Amino acid sequence: MAAASKNILIFGATGVIGLHITQALLNAKAHFGRVAAFTSSGTAESKKHIIQGLEKQGLEVVIGDIHKEEDIISVYKEFDTVISALGRNVIASQIDLIRLAEASNSIIRFFPSEYGTDIEYGPASAMEKPHQQKLKVRKYISSSVNRLEYTYLVTGPYADMYIAKSPDRPEMGTFDVKAKRAVLLGDADGKISFTTMPDVGKLLVAALKRPEATRNRALKVNSFTSTPNAILAEFERQTGQKWDISYISLTKLKELENKAWEEQVPWATSFTLRRIWAEGGTLYEKRDNSDIGMEDEDMENLEIVVKRAISQQT
């Protein structure tokens, strides 16, 4: 029988998705014991105001070096669950964190940083460049982990980032509220399943509360499913105006993706992910929300996300 999580340690707590996860854990702190963030002295200083705000809500902060085994071994003694929200550029460093968790006497559950596109969606997924580091982590877990329990929380694309303005590279898709201009990907009728960033945190908390249902598996969860055309229609409804629309075909998107990888630019990954989404790589016959007690009424919807995007842009 899977053990319940009580004392939770977070890596990457002040990152893009880490902040939402940390906030959700603090909102649900009554269900747990301790909630702590492991961070470097540099991050503690550069994000002092953010961290101080979280500390006022009950977050504990542990200063250490993620690359020093003695720091990780020491902090693991005080916790039973690890939540990783490390960014894409350091995903592979989780292997050492998992190895030390497996060897510890206290850590019972590990949530790797999986939030986002499903890296094992189909046979072609193994060849996608942005998936390689996460695939290495999964391979290590399947081959080298015996005692430690794990859960992969697969959320698909973050709605908040997709339904946003992209001023520098609108060819990736954009929704520009002030200009009333949208660039839509594919035929604009292809369905994409999204998760809002606040919902990522809520779903993770729900998974923690149901250890038996989430033990040693990938959870495919999301907030809602929509299409580029439906997103545009909601923007037009809320702004009360018709927008100027242009389209990037799937063929053109692939050309841009290949060119970006050839030139080794930082945004090549984003082109690949958006191509995967446009191809339908986020859709499932069944999602796993109900396995952790989360239904449609518990999730944010398209109307809420568009309203938030309009507020942020104006």
Side-chain angles (χ1 to χ4, degrees):
M1 184 174 181
S5 297
K6 286 296 182 183
N7 299 316
I8 300 167
L9 180 67
I10 313 163
F11 290 96
T14 59
V16 173
I17 196 60
L19 272 175
H20 293 277
I21 289 171
T22 302
Q23 187 62 64
L25 286 165
L26 292 173
N27 291 345
K29 195 171 183 298
H31 293 278
F32 307 110
R34 300 167 62 191
V35 177
F38 184 97
T39 191
S40 67
S41 57
T43 298
E45 180 60 33
S46 64
K47 297 186 176 182
K48 181 189 300 183
H49 296 300
I50 294 173
I51 290 173
Q52 287 176 343
L54 295 171
E55 284 180 311
K56 289 178 181 178
Q57 299 177 63
L59 180 72
E60 299 179 35
V61 178
V62 179
I63 305 297
D65 187 338
I66 197 172
H67 303 295
K68 288 185 177 179
E69 286 196 8
E70 58 267 31
D71 287 4
I72 303 302
I73 291 170
S74 176
V75 73
Y76 274 0
K77 294 176 182 178
E78 302 179 41
F79 296 91
D80 55 62
T81 301
V82 175
I83 307 294
S84 175
L86 294 178
R88 184 176 293 277
N89 60 325
V90 290
I91 285 292
S93 66
Q94 293 180 111
I95 291 174
D96 282 336
L97 297 179
I98 294 164
R99 174 177 58 82
L100 295 172
E102 167 76 0
S104 77
N105 294 319
S106 57
I107 303 298
I108 58 172
R109 177 69 66 93
F110 199 108
F111 281 71
S113 188
E114 274 275 341
Y115 329 103
T117 305
D118 187 356
I119 59 172
E120 293 185 346
Y121 186 84
S125 299
M127 305 304 295
E128 301 288 5
K129 291 185 177 71
H131 295 351
Q132 298 310 304
Q133 298 307 306
K134 288 184 179 181
L135 286 168
K136 286 181 181 179
V137 173
R138 283 208 190 187
K139 182 178 180 181
Y140 179 81
I141 289 175
S142 65
S143 64
S144 304
V145 168
N146 298 302
R147 181 196 61 80
L148 184 69
E149 298 173 1
Y150 61 87
T151 304
Y152 304 124
L153 193 72
V154 179
T155 66
Y158 302 147
D160 317 68
M161 291 187 170
Y162 188 95
I163 303 174
K165 177 183 177 182
S166 179
D168 298 327
R169 282 171 287 279
E171 64 274 18
M172 287 187 185
T174 188
F175 295 91
D176 188 332
V177 174
K178 290 185 178 180
K180 303 297 183 292
R181 176 173 178 260
V183 178
L184 308 183
L185 302 180
D187 64 6
D189 283 323
K191 291 182 178 181
I192 304 172
S193 290
F194 298 98
T195 305
T196 72
M197 290 193 283
D199 277 354
V200 171
K202 289 192 296 184
L203 288 160
L204 189 142
V205 168
L208 282 170
K209 291 178 181 178
R210 300 204 176 190
E212 195 63 42
T214 61
R215 179 178 179 269
N216 297 348
R217 62 175 292 200
L219 288 172
K220 281 101 177 238
V221 294
N222 55 64
S223 298
F224 62 88
T225 299
S226 190
T227 68
N229 273 332
I231 295 168
L232 172 65
E234 183 61 24
F235 269 108
E236 290 183 332
R237 185 187 73 81
Q238 291 195 31
T239 59
Q241 293 178 265
K242 298 297 289 184
W243 285 32
D244 177 47
I245 313 165
S246 58
Y247 299 87
I248 300 291
S249 69
L250 191 54
T251 299
K252 181 62 176 178
L253 189 61
K254 290 178 180 177
E255 291 175 1
L256 293 168
E257 174 192 1
N258 291 335
K259 184 173 184 290
W261 283 108
E262 288 171 3
E263 295 177 353
Q264 298 184 2
V265 293
W267 54 88
T269 290
S270 295
F271 271 119
T272 297
L273 294 176
R274 287 179 178 251
R275 185 259 301 159
I276 291 170
W277 306 338
E279 289 176 334
T282 69
L283 305 176
Y284 303 95
E285 292 184 8
K286 175 188 176 294
R287 66 178 184 175
D288 297 322
N289 291 43
S290 60
D291 290 0
I292 53 175
M294 300 294 281
E295 304 298 344
D296 287 345
E297 59 268 23
D298 302 306
M299 301 286 94
E300 294 189 316
N301 57 32
L302 178 60
E303 180 181 0
I304 291 171
V305 182
V306 169
K307 182 178 181 180
R308 188 157 61 222
I310 292 172
S311 175
Q312 290 171 345
Q313 289 190 43
T314 57

